[in-house]
Amino acid sequence: MKLLVCGGAGFIGSHFARLRAREYDDEVVVLDKLTYAGREENLRDLADAPGFRFVHGAIEDADAVADAVAGCEAIVNFAAETHVDRSISGPEVFLTTQMNGTWTLLEAARERELRYVQVSTDEVYGSIDEGSFTETSPLDPSSPYSATKAGADLLVSSYTHTYGLPTAICRGSNNYGPFQYPEKLIPLMVLNALHGDPLPVYGDGMNVRNWLYVEDFGRAIGTVLERGATGEAYNVGGPGECPNIEVVRRILELTGRDESLIEYVTDRPGHDRRYSLASDKVRTLGWEPRMRFEDGLQRTVDWYRENSWWWEPIRSGEYRAYYERHYGRALRD
Ligand SMILES: NC(=O)c1ccc[n+]([C@@H]2O[C@H](COP(=O)([O-])OP(=O)(O)OC[C@H]3O[C@@H](n4cnc5c(N)ncnc54)[C@H](O)[C@@H]3O)[C@@H](O)[C@H]2O)c1
């Protein structure tokens, strides 16, 4: 299949592009704006994959989309502004990418009658104290990030109801693994621990997330692309439900550091307490997670330890300035 993977230079999109090109022999075209979170380095091993093409452009730019989508049979959209903290300090770009961008892609799919898969998040359901969300749970997002993701999901559904476009939505829980930008919890804590920087933990550290190894999410998205029913959403939850402070403790163990590095910081405004997804529906399509959290975390820590070529330029650039602004302290060199 020839696939347009939007946002494929980011964390999850690059794993998906690799998986589809290497294991499924798909021809992959990546369209990516290369924001601070998008890096061509994430795709460098795909340069020689048959049919691989990279197009530098925004999903809200109809001309760039028309160029990239030529000859493709399906669009899988990962492109998004993805960091909750950044959505609190500067929501505007979240609207542009999530709403205008998704709409532009849907129009391109409609004109060409293409299959369309939207990559979404458990955060659209909001927080849940007990039990798990199913696909029929109401959307109740709490941050500008999750609200714009929910808006995009609704727009996608409307294109099936109104125009009969063959869409599906895949809502993943918190992903982790190699190539994740260090503003997110696990790479933030791993890199700070490796450098001996304090590990900033929000609030009491008891926010619970459902950890999903990035390759497992990529496989689930492929399953939904191939076998998901038109107009349906599929939840994809990981096997590892864990409070943040427990994740941090495990990372300290894996990096040989002690708990004196933990620093509790003022909580994120409106911080959702717990996310949990029921994944029964996607399992009926034949998907199940392969990676246990303990193994995936070990593999992730090892990858960051061994791949300083990847994170060194990040720690000396935009991220360093962002970190100082956000946490009010500098990172070690
Ligand atoms: N990271 C998670 O835990 C998680 C969990 C579930 C769902 N998701 C969803 O998966 C998708 C990918 O997340 P990620 O963690 O890989 O994000 P990421 O921030 O690592 O990557 C996002 C990519 O999108 C690109 N991009 C941003 N705006 C764009 C635009 N306007 N046009 C074209 N490209 C643009 C960026 O350059 C980057 O390459 C997102 O839609 C996110 O909501 C993420």
Side-chain angles (χ1 to χ4, degrees), residues 10-12 32 35 38 59-60 78 82 97 120 145 149 175:
F11 166 48
I12 308 174
D32 199 294
T35 67
I59 56 168
E60 62 272 21
F78 293 86
T82 61
T97 294
S120 186
Y145 164 65
K149 289 297 292 182
N175 276 228

Side-chain angles (χ1 to χ4, degrees), residues 6-14 31-39 42 57-60 77-83 93 96-98 101 118-123 145 149 170-176 179-181 183-184 211 217:
C6 302
F11 166 48
I12 308 174
S14 62
L31 171 65
D32 199 294
K33 190 176 173 180
L34 297 180
T35 67
Y36 73 94
R39 301 176 75 210
N42 295 356
I59 56 168
E60 62 272 21
N77 181 29
F78 293 86
E81 289 293 334
T82 61
H83 193 39
V93 68
T96 307
T97 294
Q98 266 83 301
Q118 177 78 355
V119 180
S120 186
T121 163
D122 56 1
E123 300 196 29
Y145 164 65
K149 289 297 292 182
C170 217
R171 298 192 177 120
S173 61
N174 274 53
N175 276 228
Y176 69 102
F179 296 106
Q180 187 169 28
Y181 197 78
E183 66 193 357
K184 304 285 169 57
W211 294 99
F217 193 33

Side-chain angles (χ1 to χ4, degrees), residues 19 24 170-173 175 210-224 227 234-239 277-291:
L19 181 75
Y24 295 83
C170 217
R171 298 192 177 120
S173 61
N175 276 228
N210 189 197
W211 294 99
L212 174 64
Y213 193 64
V214 60
E215 289 175 4
D216 278 332
F217 193 33
R219 286 203 175 80
I221 295 163
T223 303
V224 168
R227 298 199 283 284
Y234 294 87
N235 290 344
V236 184
L277 290 179
S279 312
D280 308 0
K281 189 170 166 185
V282 73
R283 282 170 187 262
T284 65
L285 300 180
W287 173 87
E288 59 178 52
R290 298 181 184 176
M291 186 69 83

Side-chain angles (χ1 to χ4, degrees), residues 11 83 174-178 180-194 199-200 209-214 240 242-244 246-248 250-252 254-255 293-294 296-302 304 319 327:
F11 166 48
H83 193 39
N174 274 53
N175 276 228
Y176 69 102
Q180 187 169 28
Y181 197 78
E183 66 193 357
K184 304 285 169 57
L185 183 86
I186 288 182
L188 165 72
M189 298 302 170
V190 172
L191 287 181
N192 279 22
L194 290 176
L199 273 51
R209 301 293 182 259
N210 189 197
W211 294 99
L212 174 64
Y213 193 64
V214 60
C242 197
N244 289 347
E246 180 56 32
V247 175
V248 169
R250 290 187 194 192
I251 289 170
L252 287 170
L254 291 169
T255 52
F293 185 51
E294 299 73 45
L297 194 58
Q298 172 81 65
R299 194 186 276 200
T300 303
V301 170
D302 291 346
Y304 281 94
Y319 173 69
Y327 292 108

